[in-house]
């Protein structure tokens, strides 16, 4: 067997072995796995992000948010946030539909990431790329 052929076989073997390892490393570093949320019970309660903004999700499909007026929580051109914001939400698998009362913010959704027992929610207009800047976690208590 020629040296050139052995080198090609070795490169093919290393490439085949390293491909899945690189994919596993990238996946484990990102830490974001879509989570299905199909009931209001999974979301009901107070949620907050690192900046101090809060969202209280009610089991009737409504929410009350505070702190969205001073932070770029949902961004991307949404305007009209008041100090206390109301709206509706509907769980729909790995994302939820969101409507803000009196705010110009179309096509906003909630994306859910993490594990079924401990996940975060974030407001986004692009659930496929996970365009989230503020992650909301459930407050204990």
């Amino acid at each position: 067997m020629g040296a050139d052929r052995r080198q090609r076989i070795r490169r093919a073997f290393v490439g085949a072995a390293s491909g899945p390892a690189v994919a596993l490393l990238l996946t484990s570093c990102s830490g974001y796995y879509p989570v299905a949320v199909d009931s209001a019970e999974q979301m009901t309660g107070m949620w907050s992000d690192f900046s101090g903004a809060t969202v209280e999700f009610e089991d009737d499909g409504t929410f009350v948010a505070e702190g969205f007026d001073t932070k770029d929580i949902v961004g991307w051109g949404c305007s009209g946030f008041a100090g206390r914001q109301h709206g509706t939400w509907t769980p729909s698998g790995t994302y939820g539909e969101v409507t803000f009362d009196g705010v110009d913010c179309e096509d906003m959704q909630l994306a859910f990431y993490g594990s079924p027992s401990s996940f975060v929610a974030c407001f986004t207009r692009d659930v496929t790329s996970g365009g989230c800047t503020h992650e909301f976690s459930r407050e204990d208590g």
Side-chain angles (χ1 to χ4, degrees), residues 40 68 129:
F68 283 24
S129 71

Side-chain angles (χ1 to χ4, degrees), residues 85-99:
Q85 184 61 51
H86 299 269
T88 59
W89 69 282
T90 306
S92 180
T94 57
Y95 66 93
E97 299 296 329
V98 178
T99 304

Side-chain angles (χ1 to χ4, degrees), residues 32 35 37 42-43 47-49 55 57 68 73 89 94-96 98 109-114 118-124 132-138:
Y32 291 106
V35 174
V37 174
Q42 290 175 276
M43 291 293 295
W47 293 65
S48 62
D49 79 339
V55 181
F57 294 101
F68 283 24
I73 304 298
W89 69 282
T94 57
Y95 66 93
V98 178
Q109 296 176 319
L110 279 169
F112 309 115
Y113 298 100
S118 176
F119 61 92
V120 297
C122 61
F123 292 90
T124 182
C132 300
T133 56
H134 290 257
E135 297 173 347
F136 286 82
S137 341
R138 184 186 308 270

Side-chain angles (χ1 to χ4, degrees), residues 31-139:
Y32 291 106
Y33 298 96
V35 174
V37 174
D38 296 314
S39 72
E41 181 180 277
Q42 290 175 276
M43 291 293 295
T44 301
M46 184 66 73
W47 293 65
S48 62
D49 79 339
F50 68 90
S51 73
T54 61
V55 181
E56 184 170 6
F57 294 101
E58 302 291 340
D59 59 4
D60 65 356
T62 61
F63 69 86
V64 176
E66 292 191 47
F68 283 24
D69 58 328
T70 58
K71 311 283 188 291
D72 187 23
I73 304 298
V74 293
W76 299 299
C78 294
S79 61
F81 284 106
R84 193 166 166 87
Q85 184 61 51
H86 299 269
T88 59
W89 69 282
T90 306
S92 180
T94 57
Y95 66 93
E97 299 296 329
V98 178
T99 304
F100 293 96
D101 296 341
V103 175
D104 182 18
C105 195
E106 296 179 16
D107 301 324
M108 187 56 60
Q109 296 176 319
L110 279 169
F112 309 115
Y113 298 100
S115 71
S117 62
S118 176
F119 61 92
V120 297
C122 61
F123 292 90
T124 182
R125 283 193 171 157
D126 186 359
V127 295
T128 58
S129 71
C132 300
T133 56
H134 290 257
E135 297 173 347
F136 286 82
S137 341
R138 184 186 308 270
E139 291 184 5

